[in-house]
């Protein structure tokens, strides 16, 4: 079956088939090889990308901006201080204007609805660079890193520790379910994955003869894990909840003891970054031999470039 993603937006990986995700990972592998040999292609020459940020970013901004610019394209950074978005001009109107002027839009912000509206009204590919609900480009980099490490994704067991209902955990769960992997969300009941998405992922996994589960007990959850993954305890926009999060998430800190609970000497540690060392992960684990966080950060760029190649050319 041939894959054609031209013109498609990446709003959530729920909209992508396993074949399409496979294709994006294959393109990412190719562009990573090219980057090592410094091959210049200028694939986005004459094109523009609008990048709208309601929230801060280091990796996502750099990945989109450098990936687009080094292929000859012109990325335009727009913070809320720069444009009329939602102030004086409706989101729909801004989307229509952008659609007349740029080839693609990246959005990072709060509501998933915003990125969906941008896609509906602009008529150009829109990329979700993180919303409260999803972080799909992160999950693609996560898959790439796991595959590089183990040679395959099939039946790899990924355990996400901590705030299992956040954007990063949700997109990772969807990615694992679709790609024939086993996924465990391990955290407190209060921060359980969205029930509707969890159910959907359980069903997808069942068809693949794998599993997606919520297991609050770290000892049970971590057994035989290939990947132990965590993210900050307080996501952007949830700062008010910081105090409560510290106490309910403390038992889920990834430390040497948790890494040992896998019983697997080859387990790797992953984190989308930025990390708060001493909270969700100890210094020893993130800086230790099992950590793959820097490969993971680099792979953001290759996978994002792959998404833009696949949807724009
Ligand atoms: N992982 C990630 O999205 O990082 P930034 O917030 O720095 O973009
Ligand atoms: N869950 C985090 C991810 C940051 C990349 C947040 O939303 O702040």
């Amino acid at each position: 079956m041939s894959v054609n993603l031209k013109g498609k937006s990446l709003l959530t990986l729920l909209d992508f088939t396993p074949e399409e995700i496979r294709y994006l990972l294959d393109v990412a592998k190719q562009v990573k090889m090219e980057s090592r040999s410094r091959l210049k292609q200028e694939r986005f020459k004459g094109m523009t990308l609008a990048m709208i940020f309601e929230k801060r970013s280091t990796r996502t901004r750099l990945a989109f901006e450098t990936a687009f610019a080094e292929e000859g394209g012109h990325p335009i950074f727009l913070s809320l201080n720069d444009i009329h978005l939602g102030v004086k001009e409706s989101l729909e109107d801004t989307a229509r204007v952008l659609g007349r002027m740029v080839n693609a839009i990246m959005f990072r912000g709060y509501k998933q609805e915003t990125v969906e509206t941008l896609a509906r009204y602009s008529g150009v590919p829109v990329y979700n660079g993180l919303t409260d609900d999803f972080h799909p480009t992160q999950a693609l980099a996560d898959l790439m890193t796991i595959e590089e490490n183990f040679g395959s994704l099939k039946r790899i067991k990924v355990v996400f520790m901590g705030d299992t209902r956040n954007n990063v955990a949700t997109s990772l769960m969807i990615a694992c379910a679709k790609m024939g992997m086993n996924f465990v969300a391990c955290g407190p009941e209060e921060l359980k994955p969205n029930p509707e998405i969890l159910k959907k992922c359980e069903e997808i996994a069942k068809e693949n003869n794998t599993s997606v589960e919520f297991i609050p007990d770290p000892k049970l959850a971590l057994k035989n894990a290939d990947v132990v993954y965590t993210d900050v305890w307080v996501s952007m926009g949830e700062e008010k909840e910081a105090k409560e999060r510290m106490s309910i998430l403390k038992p889920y800190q990834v430390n040497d003891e948790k890494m040992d609970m896998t019983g697997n000497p080859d387990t790797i540690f992953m984190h989308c970054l930025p990390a708060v060392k001493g909270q969700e992960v100890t210094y020893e684990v993130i800086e230790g031999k099992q950590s793959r966080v820097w490969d993971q950060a680099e792979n953001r760029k290759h996978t994002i470039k792959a998404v833009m190649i696949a949807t724009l050319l």
Side-chain angles (χ1 to χ4, degrees):
M1 197 172 63
S2 78
V3 170
N4 181 1
L5 292 173
K6 189 158 182 193
K8 193 172 163 105
S9 290
L10 173 53
L11 307 179
T12 160
L13 286 175
L14 286 170
D15 301 337
F16 282 65
T17 65
E19 292 73 26
E20 289 169 340
I21 297 172
R22 178 72 263 156
Y23 175 76
L24 292 174
L25 294 174
D26 289 344
V27 176
K29 220 169 165 178
Q30 191 196 322
V31 298
K32 186 167 185 175
M33 262 158 25
E34 288 172 11
S35 82
R36 293 289 186 264
S37 55
R38 293 180 180 270
L39 255 177
K40 273 233 170 283
Q41 299 269 359
E42 302 217 307
R43 292 176 172 104
F44 304 134
K45 197 166 180 199
M47 290 185 167
T48 47
L49 168 73
M51 308 197 308
I52 305 172
F53 287 86
E54 287 180 343
K55 291 179 178 172
R56 285 168 197 263
S57 168
T58 300
R59 281 143 287 270
T60 309
R61 175 182 174 180
L62 279 164
F64 271 101
E65 198 161 328
T66 59
F68 201 68
E70 75 186 17
E71 295 279 349
H74 178 50
I76 306 166
F77 175 81
L78 301 163
S79 82
L80 290 191
N81 296 329
D82 305 310
I83 51 172
H84 295 293
L85 194 75
V87 186
K88 217 161 96 185
E89 184 166 71
S90 72
L91 176 63
E92 290 81 357
D93 290 359
T94 301
R96 284 184 282 205
V97 172
L98 284 172
R100 297 291 180 106
M101 297 197 191
V102 303
N103 300 90
I105 301 168
M106 190 242 75
F107 173 80
R108 163 170 288 206
Y110 296 91
K111 293 194 183 125
Q112 181 67 14
E113 206 187 313
T114 308
V115 81
E116 282 166 8
T117 304
L118 283 172
R120 200 169 326 118
Y121 283 86
S122 68
V124 295
V126 173
Y127 312 121
N128 179 354
L130 180 146
T131 58
D132 291 344
D133 299 342
F134 300 109
H135 198 1
T137 63
Q138 178 68 54
L140 289 174
D142 300 341
L143 292 178
M144 182 178 194
T145 311
I146 295 169
E147 190 166 61
E148 281 176 349
N149 199 85
F150 296 105
S152 161
L153 294 174
K154 295 285 167 243
R155 314 204 82 79
I156 292 293
K157 176 175 174 180
V158 177
V159 181
F160 185 97
M161 301 286 295
D163 178 7
T164 70
R165 47 139 284 286
N166 83 9
N167 40 21
V168 170
T170 305
S171 287
L172 185 63
M173 174 169 78
I174 297 165
C176 289
K178 294 215 172 202
M179 300 313 283
M181 301 159 76
N182 294 300
F183 180 84
V184 178
C186 176
E189 283 286 343
E190 301 93 303
L191 298 172
K192 200 176 165 161
N194 172 310
E196 225 173 275
I197 303 177
L198 178 62
K199 188 161 171 267
K200 202 174 273 183
C201 289
E202 283 167 353
E203 285 164 9
I204 299 170
K206 209 165 161 202
E207 279 169 31
N208 291 335
N209 281 322
T210 57
S211 63
V212 166
E213 297 167 279
F214 172 70
I215 303 178
D217 178 350
K219 213 172 188 165
L220 288 178
L222 286 164
K223 195 161 183 266
N224 297 325
D226 296 296
V227 179
V228 179
Y229 196 121
T230 193
D231 183 13
V232 289
W233 287 347
V234 184
S235 285
M236 290 180 276
E238 299 182 333
E239 290 75 12
K240 285 193 311 295
E241 288 156 53
K243 207 166 154 216
E244 191 197 335
R245 291 287 170 82
M246 298 303 138
S247 63
I248 59 171
L249 285 167
K250 213 163 172 203
Y252 297 93
Q253 182 192 61
V254 179
N255 48 31
D256 286 332
E257 191 198 348
K258 299 282 185 352
M259 293 302 285
D260 287 346
M261 282 181 189
T262 68
N264 172 6
D266 299 323
T267 308
I268 61 169
F269 170 74
M270 294 176 69
H271 192 309
C272 57
L273 305 178
V276 186
K277 296 174 192 175
Q279 281 188 15
E280 73 272 9
V281 59
T282 57
Y283 181 89
E284 288 72 24
V285 170
I286 198 166
E287 297 292 346
K289 280 209 296 287
Q290 288 160 293
S291 176
R292 296 293 177 275
V293 299
W294 312 117
D295 292 336
Q296 202 183 342
E298 179 191 332
N299 287 339
R300 296 296 309 285
K301 178 168 172 175
H302 306 305
T303 43
I304 280 172
K305 192 188 265 192
V307 169
M308 294 194 288
I309 289 172
T311 55
L312 289 176
L313 303 182

